[in-house]
Amino acid sequence: MKKLFYYALFLLFSPVAQAQFIKIDNGVLFSSFRNELKLDILTQRNTSYATALGIDYLQKKHFYLSSQIGYLQIGGHEKNDALAGTGFGEACEQTSFVHLNTQFRYLIFTEKPFSPSFFVSLGPFANILSGKKAFKSYYQGYDFQNLYGGLKTELGITKDFRRLRLGLVGSYLYNLSPTAKSSALGLNSPSYSMMFTLGYRI
């Protein structure tokens, strides 16, 4: 696992010599669990803090690449008032991951030097487990995966002020492999985030 982590870091930051902006993102992430059988397992929304360091590079007139490494928490919960006091009335599961992604960002409005730029993006992401692995609630038997991945899409706005870049980015993470699973069922975690970006031109 350590070799995989270091290899991911190398792939993420190998283009740093060509970076045009370094940046930090901070915001909130909303996640919950879904499964192919549509069972009501931890499907209520979990809200957590998320942060990431990144670089914007290879910028052209209408596109650039953006890579990040960050921290986030994925989870879900459920509450059933009818079962309060039985030990089965409430369950909450979440854990932390190191988050890696690279996005192809396409600029859709950049007409004037002082106008904001709007963009849409798409790219792969990978989450590497850094917190607890086993579920602790009455859903014992499920484990968070050491590594899972998927596709990340973004819609955002940025504005440059000399050497600074400010932005607001909304994103959606779509699983291509389960976040957690038992011997019988996998759980995906479709997640949304809203992040504030502060970048610096180098």
Side-chain angles (χ1 to χ4, degrees):
M1 183 56 65
K2 287 185 177 180
K3 289 184 178 179
L4 176 63
F5 179 70
Y6 293 139
Y7 183 64
L9 286 179
F10 173 77
L11 289 179
L12 180 67
F13 288 106
S14 59
V16 70
Q18 301 180 31
Q20 290 160 296
F21 280 89
I22 57 174
K23 61 183 181 179
I24 182 170
D25 288 7
N26 288 281
V28 293
L29 183 137
F30 310 98
S31 62
S32 60
F33 289 108
R34 297 292 184 270
N35 60 82
E36 60 182 10
L37 299 181
K38 298 183 179 180
L39 299 176
D40 189 17
I41 299 175
L42 303 167
T43 57
Q44 296 179 18
R45 186 176 66 190
N46 183 74
T47 303
S48 60
Y49 169 73
T51 187
L53 294 173
I55 53 176
D56 294 341
Y57 56 102
L58 297 180
Q59 184 159 346
K60 305 298 181 182
K61 183 177 180 180
H62 291 294
F63 71 88
Y64 63 92
L65 296 181
S66 178
S67 296
Q68 294 176 303
I69 179 170
Y71 165 87
L72 51 78
Q73 289 185 318
I74 296 292
H77 71 274
E78 63 182 66
K79 187 175 183 180
N80 189 334
D81 293 334
L83 297 177
T86 66
F88 296 93
E90 187 171 2
C92 180
E93 296 289 350
Q94 72 172 19
T95 197
S96 56
F97 290 89
V98 174
H99 174 74
L100 304 167
N101 78 80
T102 293
Q103 299 288 294
F104 177 91
R105 287 184 171 178
Y106 180 73
L107 301 173
I108 57 178
F109 181 72
T110 56
E111 290 187 0
K112 298 179 181 180
F114 297 103
S115 295
S117 297
F118 298 88
F119 66 84
V120 293
S121 74
L122 177 67
F125 78 86
N127 285 342
I128 303 171
L129 185 67
S130 62
K132 68 173 186 178
K133 183 177 178 65
F135 280 22
K136 301 299 184 182
S137 67
Y138 49 77
Y139 285 113
Q140 292 179 10
Y142 284 88
D143 291 315
F144 288 100
Q145 298 301 287
N146 291 323
L147 172 68
Y148 76 94
L151 293 176
K152 182 177 183 179
T153 63
E154 296 177 327
L155 177 64
I157 179 174
T158 61
K159 185 173 176 61
D160 296 345
F161 299 89
R162 296 186 178 181
R163 300 188 72 89
L164 293 180
R165 171 172 287 179
L166 302 179
L168 188 65
V169 182
S171 65
Y172 173 67
L173 279 68
Y174 174 80
N175 285 65
L176 293 178
S177 57
T179 304
K181 64 181 182 179
S182 68
S183 59
L185 186 65
L187 302 178
N188 293 327
S189 57
S191 306
Y192 303 84
S193 68
M194 183 62 67
M195 307 283 281
F196 174 75
T197 296
L198 174 62
Y200 182 78
R201 186 189 299 273
I202 57 177

